[in-house]
Amino acid sequence: LLYAIYILITKLFGIFVNLAAAFFATALSYNLNFSSANNPLNFAVIIGWPIVASVATMFFVLILLWIAIATIFDWGEFSARSLLPRLIIAALLINFSLAIGRSFINLSNGIGMVFYNALVRTGEIRGQGLGGAIQTMINPDPLVAGYIARNVGTGFADNRAKAASIWDSTRGTVIDTVSPDNSISLTARACYQGVTVAGGNEEMQVAIDAKCSELIAYAKRSGQEGPPDATSVYLRIGIAIAISVLVYPIAIFVLFAGAILFLIRLFALAFVLILGPLVFLLSILPATRTHWNKWWDTLMRWSFFLPAFMFLFFLGLQMMSSYSRFFADYGPDEVGPSVIFAYLIATGFMVGALMI
């Protein structure tokens, strides 16, 4: 029943992950194909940039006139000696502002594409899309898969009986060296639960401990980590449920929020490119250079937001994928809250992707 609840929870969350992933993939696709002719924002740039470039050219003439006046009256800060080099550079770069802006955007999109392709490839290997890839990497099922195969389902009784037989049939005898007539017959199950010699015979206890180590090691190599215990099975399933309830909603939120931020990025970069010629013109005068610095800051921040987001998001998912395989090898007494805490650390990287 508990395992059925776990499967139901993952299926329900899977529906929302697929919806969020579809929205995320759409927004991401528009960003990665920013320069495409089919992108509405790129169409706005194609129309808007020449208009702003024409306006910048008119202001360029006015600034040139202002420099001439300042030179005549020897206004040092605005004279030709101070501003002419900037004026020449700005005049040359105004016509290249669109190409300069696009180069940084395309560079950042190319870096982001690397992590996106890694995610999509994970899904394609399993015949799934982006949503399926994300579910596969989050899925804590490997944590319980081995236990489920042995102790849950239609073969529950048979699997437990076979596991029990390994620990009961793995036997050994320890003979007391002081009193050879005194011997103890051991089973791997008894050793696992702990065997102590009455009377404090230390030499006998050492011999028993050595034999028990041998029996337990043999039983484990036979495919059972310990005597069959339903509690261990249900503990792992419970932890898997807790991980699903905690991680899936966070992943869904990050996907929706990331998609919205990607849409905002589209508009921000479109405005940056359209206003490029005017901003290059503003780099000439000392009083307006702050706008030039803000333009570069906005271009860099929004351009490289995408690859930074994709890196942290992919890192968090990759950590979860590694955790599920790593913790699958843990013994029955080693699986606990630390597993959930490890997954929460991974979700921290995913949430951090929204804060950069």
Side-chain angles (χ1 to χ4, degrees), residues 33-76:
N33 298 290
F34 185 85
S35 300
S36 171
N38 297 325
N39 194 318
L41 272 301
N42 183 53
F43 193 62
V45 172
I46 293 173
I47 296 175
W49 186 88
I51 297 173
V52 176
S54 299
V55 173
T57 302
M58 291 190 301
F59 278 103
F60 179 80
V61 175
L62 293 176
I63 292 175
L64 189 61
L65 179 61
W66 173 258
I67 292 175
I69 295 173
T71 303
I72 293 172
F73 290 98
D74 197 22
W75 296 340

Side-chain angles (χ1 to χ4, degrees), residues 242-309:
I243 291 171
S244 299
V245 171
L246 289 172
V247 173
Y248 276 117
I250 294 175
I252 293 168
F253 168 76
V254 172
L255 285 170
F256 274 115
I260 293 172
L261 288 174
F262 284 163
L263 292 177
I264 294 174
R265 177 180 184 264
L266 282 174
F267 285 96
L269 291 178
F271 286 133
V272 164
L273 292 181
I274 291 172
L275 297 176
L278 193 58
V279 173
F280 273 74
L281 186 69
L282 294 177
S283 67
I284 300 173
L285 300 176
T288 57
R289 274 174 208 159
T290 55
H291 299 291
W292 156 264
N293 295 329
K294 288 180 181 178
W295 185 87
W296 276 105
D297 178 69
T298 303
L299 175 63
M300 293 299 176
R301 180 160 49 87
W302 280 110
S303 291
F304 289 95
F305 166 76
L306 187 147
F309 177 97

Side-chain angles (χ1 to χ4, degrees), residues 12 14 30 70 103 139 141 145 206 210 220 240 268 271 274 276 301 327:
L12 290 175
Y30 277 112
S103 64
N139 186 15
D141 194 57
V206 170
K220 285 185 175 181
F271 286 133
I274 291 172
R301 180 160 49 87
F327 289 122

Side-chain angles (χ1 to χ4, degrees), residues 137-192:
M137 299 180 79
I138 293 177
N139 186 15
D141 194 57
L143 181 66
V144 297
Y147 269 63
I148 296 303
R150 291 192 296 266
N151 296 302
V152 177
T154 56
F156 180 80
D158 290 340
N159 291 332
R160 284 178 60 78
K162 291 177 182 177
S165 67
I166 293 173
W167 285 76
D168 290 331
S169 62
T170 305
R171 296 177 174 273
T173 301
V174 176
I175 299 175
D176 191 342
T177 56
V178 178
S179 303
D181 295 335
N182 182 24
S183 63
I184 296 179
S185 180
L186 303 170
T187 65
R189 180 192 291 273
C191 287
Y192 192 85

Side-chain angles (χ1 to χ4, degrees), residues 108 111-112 115 303-313 352-353 356:
S108 64
I111 299 173
F115 300 107
S303 291
F304 289 95
F305 166 76
L306 187 147
F309 177 97
M310 292 303 300
F311 167 70
L312 291 175
F313 186 69
I356 52 178

Side-chain angles (χ1 to χ4, degrees), residues 108-132:
S108 64
N109 287 346
I111 299 173
M113 181 74 80
V114 173
F115 300 107
Y116 176 70
N117 286 339
L119 272 177
V120 173
R121 196 177 303 116
T122 302
E124 289 177 346
I125 292 173
R126 297 168 175 80
Q128 303 165 326
L130 178 61

